[in-house]
Amino acid sequence: MKELLRAREALKAIEGKLHKVAERSRGIIPYTTFDGHFDDTSKNSICWWTNGFFSGMMWQMYHYTGEKLYRELAEDIEKKLDENFMLPWGMDHDSGFKWLPTAVAHCKVDWNEKSFNRGLIAAENLAGRFNPNGSFIRAWNDSGDGSRAGTVIIDCMMNLPLLYWASDVTKDPRFSQIATRHADMAMKYFIRENGSAIHIGIFDPNSGEFLRSEGGQGYGVGSSWTRGQAWALYGFTLSALYTGEQKYLDTAKRVADNFILQMAKRPDTGIPIDFDQPFDCKREDSSAAAIAACGLLELGKFDEKYSEAALDILEFLIENRLSLDEDKDYLLWNCADSFWSNREQMTLIYADYFLLEALLKLIDKDLPIFTPDKEAKI
Ligand code: GLY
């Protein structure tokens, strides 16, 4: 298949580039680039939600190539993140994003007690954010006034694999019970009739009543922020793979069907930042594209049409949005942290992580960091 061949070629070129990037990136935790060069987010915030992704890239590359350099960088980031455990305001719903691609990935490659403990501490903390009345995992923190106690976001679907992992390794079902209760809640309140997802849901934290949805990084209230759609698409797919529950697979397919329908409305461009942004607004988010491609590839194991959609996305990214310039640290460009951000055409480390994961999935060489180790239960 033409697209597969192209993906293999791209991966080869990425392999050469990433070795050089890794050599000059010791000791940092990148989030984005300035003039093509990585920042070091650990200097500003050791708690930032994306701090696991460069480590995830390094573990993927170590798993793929066996090169020690990658492993050294990943282990360094994992140790640095220990500081986050001691900063309570920096422990939030994004523990999965931070400790799956660091401590848990390390355990999967090479089991060790310290990484195992880090993964469990992170999972215990995430489970502790569960509100039994509303059946949701609380999102962000507040100053202690409870103003965000009922705030929930669709992105959190991607943190649930940390809980599934914790149940798997401890044989204690509490973690996955919390994960499935959150997923059931998200299915009910976050997925609209047409398969699109809301970004933020506000609940009464005492009664558990759903109060309203809010806009966040997308175009507005009621719109379809594409990265949120991608988190939902991949997130429900992962819950289906971990639990074997048909209802999560059906939900993932509904979200994916809507994603594909919306993509078709804007042929010849990348994924917009929001499917509801005006058609003459050409701003894109390549991170949403890469995340969706990962979810679609997993869904493709159940229906080939999803693999074809993933290949279309990856072909577009490889041909139009991938930098193979070895002097630049990033892979994908034209990403957006938010529709309302004043930074245009950003690079984002998680866009690069999910592109790499998707390309490795294509040749069945990915380390299962977000996905389960074993064969899918479905
Ligand atoms: N989880 C935050 C974001 O996707 O920007």
Side-chain angles (χ1 to χ4, degrees):
M1 217 195 231
K2 176 174 81 48
E3 295 98 329
L4 264 178
L5 270 176
R6 191 64 197 102
R8 275 180 193 276
E9 280 167 22
L11 195 53
K12 194 97 212 101
I14 286 172
E15 193 185 333
K17 169 168 171 158
L18 281 184
H19 197 268
K20 296 201 169 67
V21 172
E23 273 174 338
R24 60 178 180 253
S25 302
R26 282 183 193 275
I28 63 165
I29 308 185
Y31 165 60
T32 185
T33 54
F34 293 95
D35 297 327
H37 299 294
F38 279 147
D39 66 338
D40 179 5
T41 302
S42 66
K43 285 200 180 119
N44 309 323
S45 172
I46 197 62
C47 306
W48 188 232
W49 73 276
T50 66
N51 280 354
F53 286 106
F54 189 56
S55 162
M57 291 177 75
M58 297 297 99
W59 279 121
Q60 290 290 1
M61 290 306 291
Y62 176 71
H63 179 69
Y64 180 45
T65 65
E67 283 255 6
K68 264 179 72 185
L69 167 71
Y70 298 121
R71 182 184 176 137
E72 283 164 17
L73 267 68
E75 289 189 35
D76 178 54
I77 292 174
E78 179 184 346
K79 286 188 199 117
K80 279 205 167 103
L81 289 195
D82 283 354
E83 193 186 335
N84 191 162
F85 286 131
M86 300 310 289
L87 297 166
W89 47 264
M91 293 298 293
D92 58 22
H93 60 288
D94 280 332
S95 286
F97 282 133
K98 287 187 262 186
W99 283 284
L100 280 166
T102 52
V104 174
H106 191 173
C107 268
K108 290 188 179 194
V109 171
D110 190 3
W111 192 92
N112 67 95
E113 203 165 53
K114 278 196 173 151
S115 301
F116 182 71
N117 193 37
R118 289 178 179 120
L120 281 187
I121 292 171
E124 293 274 9
N125 193 278
L126 182 60
R129 303 181 72 80
F130 183 68
N131 179 320
N133 282 4
S135 289
F136 61 79
I137 294 171
R138 170 196 173 148
W140 304 291
N141 298 320
D142 52 42
S143 57
D145 59 3
S147 56
R148 281 176 152 181
T151 306
V152 189
I153 56 173
I154 190 65
D155 322 24
C156 197
M157 286 302 300
M158 287 297 294
N159 288 301
L160 303 187
L162 179 65
L163 299 177
Y164 295 124
W165 170 81
S167 273
D168 197 31
V169 294
T170 60
K171 308 293 173 244
D172 181 339
R174 285 176 306 142
F175 300 99
S176 56
Q177 284 164 1
I178 287 174
T180 53
R181 284 184 66 182
H182 181 92
D184 290 346
M185 173 289 303
M187 235 165 47
K188 183 167 172 193
Y189 294 112
F190 278 70
I191 306 303
R192 304 184 186 108
E193 204 52 43
N194 68 354
S196 67
I198 68 167
H199 182 192
I200 301 175
I202 307 293
F203 290 73
D204 180 323
N206 291 305
S207 67
E209 185 193 351
F210 178 78
L211 301 176
R212 62 182 184 281
S213 75
E214 285 186 355
Q217 285 145 273
Y219 188 59
V221 186
S223 74
S224 299
W225 174 50
T226 54
R227 195 159 62 248
Q229 311 310 300
W231 293 140
L233 193 170
Y234 197 12
F236 277 106
T237 304
L238 290 169
S239 275
L241 293 175
Y242 278 97
T243 65
E245 289 277 358
Q246 187 66 36
K247 62 185 173 185
Y248 301 140
L249 184 62
D250 292 342
T251 304
K253 284 181 177 173
R254 279 177 56 217
V255 176
D257 289 341
N258 181 61
F259 199 96
I260 293 167
L261 188 77
Q262 299 298 331
M263 264 168 61
K265 291 183 185 167
R266 299 172 197 252
D268 312 319
T269 68
I271 301 297
I273 303 175
D274 194 306
F275 284 132
D276 293 312
Q277 74 192 41
F279 277 87
D280 59 1
C281 171
K282 301 295 178 201
R283 292 177 62 213
E284 291 177 15
D285 182 12
S286 301
S287 78
I291 298 158
C294 284
L296 288 165
L297 284 176
E298 293 296 335
L299 276 184
K301 294 173 184 162
F302 304 97
D303 184 334
E304 213 177 302
K305 76 174 178 184
Y306 299 115
S307 312
E308 281 162 21
L311 285 174
D312 285 348
I313 291 176
L314 290 172
E315 190 184 14
F316 179 85
L317 290 178
I318 289 168
E319 298 301 338
N320 304 288
R321 300 289 178 259
L322 171 65
S323 167
L324 293 173
D325 180 346
E326 295 191 346
D327 293 327
K328 309 260 190 260
D329 290 341
Y330 61 84
L331 296 178
L332 286 179
W333 58 280
N334 227 356
C335 305
D337 54 352
S338 155
F339 186 84
W340 300 106
S341 165
N342 52 17
R343 285 203 66 188
E344 298 276 339
Q345 300 197 346
M346 283 183 81
T347 65
L348 290 166
I349 195 66
Y350 47 94
D352 294 358
Y353 171 81
F354 285 106
L355 175 72
L356 182 62
E357 187 188 293
L359 294 176
L360 289 169
K361 272 187 207 302
L362 280 178
I363 55 167
D364 204 19
K365 294 276 189 224
D366 57 312
L367 175 68
I369 291 182
F370 288 91
T371 44
D373 286 339
K374 43 195 179 291
E375 282 299 295
K377 287 185 182 164
I378 290 185

